[in-house]
Amino acid sequence: MSGSLEGKTALVTGGGSGIGRAAALAFAREGAHVAIVDYVQEGANQTLNMIREIGEGRVFKADVSKPDEIRRAVEQTVETYGRLDCAFNNAGIEGNTAARTDPWDHDNWNRVIAINLTGVFLSMQYEVEQMLKRGGGAIVNTSSIMGLVGAVGAFAYTAAKHGVAGLTKSAALLYAQKGIRVNAVCPGYIHTPMVERSVGIGSEFERHITKHLQPIGRLGRPEEIAEAVVWLCSPAASLVTGITMPVDGGCVAQ
Ligand code: NAP
């Protein structure tokens, strides 16, 4: 698929780490100019340095839960590159992991919903605004296997990720005839800093995941999600809209 996004612009939220970083690099490899959006500059700058070895990118600092900041980042992307073709709304947090905390914790609920769900809603709003001006585009949102099935006590995270799945489908329907495709990826357990924090590499929980929860028998790699994202944004996926695609080593097949 090399060069399938030549001359296009792709925006990635949460591009400073994990899945977002892998996707930013994958977009650059396909020839797209990449806008890396993150609220911490350090990780985003590291991604930018990696991109500069293969292509073109810029960092735009924004907290996706703040309307003015994410709107500005989208506008700056278009001011810089003249267009927005692809967007990967991926920034997210694990929140307080359910096993360790109170699932009724209001602060956790508000924070996780604000970033993982409202952040996707806001990002989409400003991206769609720009895409409509040029007649179309492709959006991919990061849901999760926890956007497809429940997880004991993880109220805020599963509600946010199910919300992303619903938002994706409703937006896909609204824009289907306006040239904008909207899909979601639903990663299984992927080896990123988030999983290092919340699962622990080498932990009993990781062994449980690879033995019982993820039939493929290992954690996924961020690049394996990035491949799906770039494909969903590419012309090869021109008939695909409104899907919530598990990329999960068989997790939700059980
Ligand atoms: P990660 O390594 O922690 O990366 C998340 C990135 O998002 C970080 O750069 C983080 O910045 C950034 N971010 C967080 N809140 C933000 C905000 N308000 N505004 C802008 N940027 C923000 O985690 P990951 O595993 O790659 O996760 C990426 C996405 O995949 C998340 O939506 C996550 O829920 C989802 N997901 C992950 C897995 C998995 O197994 N890893 C599975 C299913 C779904 P900081 O690092 O500075 O906080």
Side-chain angles (χ1 to χ4, degrees):
M1 225 171 42
S2 196
S4 66
L5 299 176
E6 207 66 57
K8 308 240 173 184
T9 301
L11 181 151
V12 180
T13 72
S17 179
I19 293 169
R21 172 173 291 165
L25 289 165
F27 277 123
R29 258 180 238 114
E30 288 301 318
H33 299 150
V34 184
I36 307 154
V37 178
D38 209 298
Y39 65 177
V40 176
Q41 200 112 15
E42 196 189 335
N45 284 338
Q46 285 169 9
T47 305
L48 181 60
N49 288 337
M50 294 169 169
I51 283 185
R52 286 200 167 134
E53 289 174 20
I54 47 177
E56 161 66 25
R58 291 281 177 88
V59 170
F60 301 106
K61 190 169 181 290
D63 178 337
V64 295
S65 67
K66 301 203 168 126
D68 293 346
E69 293 191 18
I70 184 61
R71 176 197 273 273
R72 189 74 201 111
V74 173
E75 285 172 355
Q76 283 173 323
T77 301
V78 175
E79 281 160 21
T80 306
Y81 294 121
R83 54 194 292 160
L84 179 65
D85 305 282
C86 313
F88 180 36
N89 299 318
N90 162 79
I93 56 169
E94 66 273 33
N96 292 331
T97 37
R100 279 181 259 147
T101 59
D102 176 5
W104 301 108
D105 177 344
H106 290 198
D107 288 343
N108 185 55
W109 173 270
N110 290 332
R111 190 156 168 267
V112 170
I113 297 294
I115 295 175
N116 292 10
L117 180 54
T118 308
V120 173
F121 166 81
L122 294 170
S123 303
M124 280 181 60
Q125 180 182 358
Y126 305 125
E127 291 157 3
V128 162
E129 214 170 85
Q130 297 297 336
M131 287 175 175
L132 286 175
K133 288 184 195 163
R134 288 188 57 93
I139 294 174
V140 178
N141 298 321
T142 302
S143 177
S144 168
I145 50 169
M146 292 181 199
L148 301 172
V149 296
V152 184
F155 292 176
Y157 192 85
T158 54
K161 294 300 186 182
H162 277 73
V164 169
L167 180 57
T168 299
K169 291 175 196 173
S170 296
L173 298 177
L174 184 61
Y175 296 110
Q177 294 191 16
K178 296 208 162 73
I180 302 177
R181 294 184 298 102
V182 188
N183 293 292
V185 281
C186 300
Y189 295 90
I190 312 302
H191 188 162
T192 67
M194 180 183 285
V195 155
E196 286 171 11
R197 289 189 299 268
S198 58
V199 171
I201 301 305
S203 68
E204 197 50 51
F205 188 25
E206 189 206 346
R207 277 190 287 280
H208 176 71
I209 289 167
T210 53
K211 196 158 175 212
H212 300 293
L213 301 184
Q214 197 143 288
I216 207 155
R218 62 173 174 82
L219 297 179
R221 289 180 282 109
E223 294 74 20
E224 293 175 303
I225 307 301
E227 286 293 332
V229 172
V230 167
W231 179 76
L232 284 168
C233 284
S234 75
S238 53
L239 194 61
V240 182
T241 195
I243 68 164
T244 48
M245 183 197 233
V247 186
D248 69 344
C251 274
V252 296
Q254 316 184 81

